Each structure stands twice: as C-alpha cells, then as structure tokens.
Amino acid sequence: MKDGPDIARIGALIGDPARANILSALMNGKALTATELAAEAGITGQTASSHLKKMIEGGLLSQNKQGRHRYFTLAGPEVGATLEALMGLAARKGHLRTRTGPKDPALRNARVCYDHLAGDIAVRIFDNLSARGFLEASSDKGGLRLSPSGSDFVSSLGIDLAALHASRRPMCRACLDWSERRNHLAGGLGAAMLTWFEKQGWVMREPDSRVVHISARGRSELFGLFPAAWPQK
Amino acid sequence: MKDGPDIARIGALIGDPARANILSALMNGKALTATELAAEAGITGQTASSHLKKMIEGGLLSQNKQGRHRYFTLAGPEVGATLEALMGLAARKGHLRTRTGPKDPALRNARVCYDHLAGDIAVRIFDNLSARGFLEASSDKGGLRLSPSGSDFVSSLGIDLAALHASRRPMCRACLDWSERRNHLAGGLGAAMLTWFEKQGWVMREPDSRVVHISARGRSELFGLFPAAWPQK
DNA sequence: CAGATGCTTCGATGGAGATCGAACCATGAA
DNA sequence: TTCATGGTTCGATCTCCATCGAAGCATCTG
C-alpha cells in the first residue's frame, strides 16, 4: 500500500474546488496574476495566496515575479496532460450529470490544452496526420515521431523543424482528449502548430477561456491541409 | 472557470490518504474484498465501506458481488492510466523527498500497471517493438496500432490476435511510466502480453503488490525476443 | 516624499468530512 | 435453526483546513 509515489498529496491539491478552478483557468497556457486567479476562483486575495503557495510547493504551478505582479502558470506540459486525463474521468463517470454550460459546445469543438489545440478539430487533424503516414511510433518520451514524409509536410507549412529538434522537449506526443475520448497532437509540434495557426489568422483564442474560434478563412485553409478528416461544413 | 468537467470531484476522491491507498492497492488489477482493502488502507471496515461507496459513485471503482463477499476493482484502464499519470507528477515534483521504500527498486524494475507490464523492463520492450517498426501511429483511440510485421511477430508468439481485434478495447496504447518517465505498452495487447509472459512462467506477480519478478529463464527468453533493448545482464 | 496597488502573513472562525463504536442486514456453515 | 462472518448504516466526535478581516511588506506612480 505504501508502494509508489504519494498520490494523495496531489489529489488533495486538485481536490479543492477553488484550486481546481485556478488550475482550469491556467489550462489555456497563459500566465495569470494572483488577483486574476482569485477572481477566477471566486475567492479573496488572501485565500488565493495560500492556495497558490501550496500548489507551487506541490509542483503543480510555477511563478514568475515581474514588478509588483506575480504571474502563475502550470508547471509544465505533464501537469496539463494529467489534468486533461482527470477531466476525462470526470466527464465520463459519476458526474455525467454535469449540466453543460453555454460555452460547452464551443469547448468541445476547439480549445486550448495548455499549449496546443484540443477538441473535435484537433482530433480530426491528428487522424488526418496519422492516416497519411506522417506519424510513427518511437521510443522517445512522446511515443511518436514524424516520419520523413511528415517532416516534409510540416516543413512545407513553414514551421521551423530545426528549432523544434533543438529543444529538449519531445516533439510529438499523443494527448487524450476529454471531450472526444480520442487522441490529439501535443508536444513541441502540437504547440508550434497552434501558434502557427494563430499567426495565419486561422484561429483566435478567446481572451480568458480555453475556447478557440476558427475563422472562415481558417476553416477553408485547414480543410485544404487536412482534407479527408474534415467535417463537411 | 466553470468550463469543462468537474475536476475537483475526483481530485478530492483521490486526495484522501485512505482512498489513495485503496486505489494503489488495486493498481495491480486484481479484485479485492472490502475487508482486504480496509486492512490495506489501515482503517476499519466501517470507514472503508463509506470510502468504497463514494468511489463507486464517483466512477473510480466497480464492484462485483459474489456470495457474501464484495470484490472491488478499478473501474477501467483509463482510471489506471490517470493514476499512473498522477504518480508521475508526485514522483517528480514536490514530493521528491519520498523516501524510497524497500520494494522501490523492484517496483521500478517491473510492476503491474492495472493489467499490463510497467517499469524499466516494459519500457525496454516498448522501445524494442517500436525500433523494429512493429508499432505505428493510428487514429484509433489508443493512438497506436500494430504494423503488418508487428502482427506477424505477435502471432508468432502464439497470442490470439483475432480475439484482440474482436474486443472493443483499443489494442495498443502508450502509457506513461512514472518511474521511467517514458512510454510502455498498454491496451489489449499490453494486457495479453503480460498474461502470456505469466503463462510461460517468465514472470510472476507478487501476491499482494504490484511487484513483478522475472525468472532466470524468463530473462533469457525475453532477451531473445527483444534483444537490442535489453540490459546486458 | 506620500499614496495606491499587488500580494503575503497572522489569527480566529466555521464547516466539511474522516473516523470509529454500536447496532443492523445478508449470506454461508453447522 | 443457530451461529459466525462480511458488509452496511447510523450517530457522535474530532481534526483538518478553507475562508476572510486586519495588518504588514513590496513595488510602482506622482
């Protein structure tokens, strides 16, 4: 029973509603200040401060002091992935009676998962990439790598593959999507694709949520790039 | 902030030490009775009963009534995978000061992860399978599938691939190993390989823990099957 | 400098829930 | 049937911790 790492510690951290709200708010990958997070969680600054301290100590968050502000982010991609997995459990079991909020359909369609794209559209893109043989299994930490043809494809988009290779971070990684219950692409390449989509003006992130909107042009461009798996409008 | 599924609910479930111990005890995939679990967690039967009820309600456990006994298991592979992910966070951050117990080296070497093999050895096997091109990316739920050559290899072992295909469960799946921080093979095939190794007498499971021992013959046979990635004795 | 804003620490309060004893139900054995 | 064992329900207790008010420190602005 005493085997393995202490799961209860982090479980308890995530288990408080205020802290869970803070974590969810950070799932869009942006850095937020302590007061913003307090407002997000519906608590006062004092309590937020205590929560944030605990989560830093527990390794869930990182902080970045800038002037008199203190910015908080998730401590890393693994944290985001684990939270997404927990959401998967929460969505499926037990709390199926979660009444779906107004934003819910938009979230299911496209959202940010820490630093990459998730939701229906992200799953379709992953499907398309794998169906075309651009991804293959690997012994890397991510478990996936780009095939030669996949490398060509990504380079042809104008994404700087060399920079991605230089980074220590695993480039390709499968991340389980809580709404679709299938995989989407995470890792350095997943993050790079999201920023690239943004730069093209194909997708826009809603300021203070995980929701991602797709422009009309983005829709047609993405359809062109990933044809087979795209919804017929 | 109110977006998405309710993470705090399950977080709180996992966050109690007694419940965390119960979940860890079930990570070996076996079904245990309520009293066994109570002993495992160091609590009385009454409290265990209340905990078990909550976890069933929360979708983390399944129960199976047999005679006057009630057997409990993890509700499914996703639950095991999520717990393993949480262990990854716990092992890395914050609680690095977890003094490693006596069983710890054995656990890191080989253990059961719900229904498949994990630990150093499992990672090496996964490495070997992927290096030989037996696994490729797929749009399946698991994110992986067997390549043709991989199918031949598995069939040559005597594993019934048809039965695995017939099952609704995804056959191949990458599961992140908390001790190695790399992937090992889960899914139906991962489970089938573990039972097959057991049947051959190559590995045996310690009765009431996740620890898996490798017999001398198993070591040499496994070395023969997965040569490149194996430790040189 | 003074004033304002962001954030933390301290202390007190209150509520949720983990725990166990005791009684109770269900199943199997004699 | 009677007894024993596995499991649950109920009620009372008690500990932990989330919360906020007040005060304090740090940083920026004027």
Side-chain angles (χ1 to χ4, degrees):
Chain A
M1 60 178 175
K2 216 49 168 316
D3 301 346
D6 185 7
I7 244 183
R9 219 181 158 73
I10 357 171
L13 279 180
I14 305 175
D16 177 78
R19 284 193 291 256
N21 283 337
I22 290 177
L23 289 170
S24 299
L26 291 173
M27 274 294 278
N28 66 0
K30 290 193 179 178
L32 295 178
T33 70
T35 34
E36 286 172 323
L37 289 171
E40 201 72 32
I43 53 181
T44 65
Q46 301 93 301
T47 30
S49 176
S50 127
H51 284 315
L52 292 169
K53 186 180 176 183
K54 285 174 190 170
M55 298 175 101
I56 296 239
E57 209 146 303
L60 293 182
L61 300 183
S62 312
Q63 61 180 342
N64 188 341
K65 196 174 177 179
Q66 277 184 22
R68 59 179 163 182
H69 294 275
R70 192 155 283 195
Y71 286 91
F72 292 87
T73 47
L74 295 189
E78 319 85 9
V79 179
T82 306
L83 292 178
E84 188 82 7
L86 281 172
M87 289 187 192
L89 288 188
R92 200 161 67 78
K93 324 218 165 191
H95 222 215
L96 205 50
R97 40 192 169 281
T98 290
R99 63 196 176 296
T100 58
K103 282 192 192 166
D104 203 71
L107 270 181
R108 287 175 187 275
N109 184 51
R111 66 179 178 276
V112 175
C113 178
Y114 183 60
D115 62 356
H116 55 272
L117 207 54
D120 177 57
I121 279 176
V123 170
R124 288 174 188 276
I125 291 178
F126 183 89
D127 278 3
N128 189 266
L129 289 174
S130 60
R132 290 157 84 182
F134 291 167
L135 299 173
E136 48 193 28
S138 139
S139 60
D140 284 347
K141 195 166 145 200
L144 291 175
R145 72 165 162 256
L146 272 176
S147 68
S149 59
S151 298
D152 292 346
F153 175 74
V154 170
S155 300
S156 76
L157 295 180
I159 291 181
D160 183 3
L161 263 183
L164 289 179
H165 272 120
S167 150
R168 185 178 306 155
R169 177 171 183 196
M171 183 151 72
C172 297
R173 181 161 182 64
C175 178
L176 187 58
D177 200 293
W178 65 255
S179 55
E180 303 302 310
R181 315 230 324 112
R182 303 184 53 191
N183 281 298
H184 59 247
L185 183 65
L189 179 59
M193 287 184 75
L194 172 58
T195 56
W196 189 75
F197 291 163
E198 272 189 281
K199 197 159 65 174
Q200 305 299 314
W202 296 353
V203 308
M204 303 142 291
R205 305 161 65 151
E206 226 172 71
D208 294 323
S209 89
R210 300 178 66 184
V211 174
V212 168
H213 295 284
I214 314 235
S215 68
R217 194 168 133 265
R219 186 164 289 273
S220 72
E221 294 279 0
L222 288 171
F223 177 80
L225 280 179
F226 310 102
W230 210 253
Q232 41 262 44
K233 185 47 197 260
Chain B
M1 60 177 173
K2 218 43 170 317
D3 301 344
D6 187 7
I7 245 182
R9 220 183 157 73
I10 357 172
L13 279 179
I14 304 173
D16 179 77
R19 284 193 290 257
N21 282 338
I22 291 177
L23 288 170
S24 299
L26 291 173
M27 273 296 277
N28 66 359
K30 290 193 179 177
L32 296 178
T33 69
T35 34
E36 286 171 323
L37 288 171
E40 200 70 33
I43 52 180
T44 65
Q46 301 94 301
T47 33
S49 176
S50 125
H51 284 316
L52 292 169
K53 187 179 176 186
K54 285 173 189 169
M55 297 175 101
I56 296 238
E57 207 146 306
L60 293 182
L61 300 183
S62 312
Q63 60 179 343
N64 189 343
K65 196 174 178 178
Q66 276 183 25
R68 59 178 163 179
H69 294 276
R70 190 156 283 195
Y71 286 92
F72 293 86
T73 48
L74 295 188
E78 318 87 6
V79 178
T82 306
L83 292 179
E84 187 82 6
L86 281 171
M87 290 186 191
L89 288 188
R92 198 161 68 78
K93 323 220 168 191
H95 221 217
L96 205 48
R97 42 192 167 281
T98 290
R99 63 196 176 294
T100 59
K103 281 190 191 168
D104 203 72
L107 270 181
R108 288 176 187 273
N109 184 51
R111 65 179 179 276
V112 175
C113 178
Y114 182 60
D115 61 359
H116 55 272
L117 207 56
D120 177 58
I121 278 176
V123 170
R124 289 175 187 277
I125 291 179
F126 183 89
D127 278 3
N128 189 267
L129 289 174
S130 60
R132 289 157 85 183
F134 291 168
L135 299 173
E136 49 193 29
S138 138
S139 59
D140 284 349
K141 196 164 144 201
L144 291 176
R145 72 163 164 258
L146 271 177
S147 68
S149 59
S151 298
D152 292 347
F153 174 75
V154 171
S155 300
S156 76
L157 295 180
I159 291 180
D160 184 2
L161 263 184
L164 288 179
H165 274 120
S167 150
R168 184 178 306 156
R169 175 170 185 198
M171 184 149 73
C172 297
R173 183 160 181 63
C175 180
L176 186 59
D177 199 291
W178 67 255
S179 56
E180 302 302 311
R181 316 231 325 110
R182 302 182 56 188
N183 282 296
H184 59 246
L185 184 64
L189 179 58
M193 286 185 75
L194 172 58
T195 56
W196 188 75
F197 291 162
E198 272 190 281
K199 197 160 66 176
Q200 304 300 314
W202 296 353
V203 309
M204 35 231 152
R205 305 159 65 151
E206 226 172 69
D208 294 323
S209 88
R210 299 177 66 184
V211 174
V212 168
H213 294 284
I214 314 235
S215 68
R217 195 168 131 264
R219 186 165 289 273
S220 72
E221 294 280 1
L222 288 171
F223 177 80
L225 278 179
F226 310 103
W230 211 252
Q232 41 262 46
K233 184 54 197 269

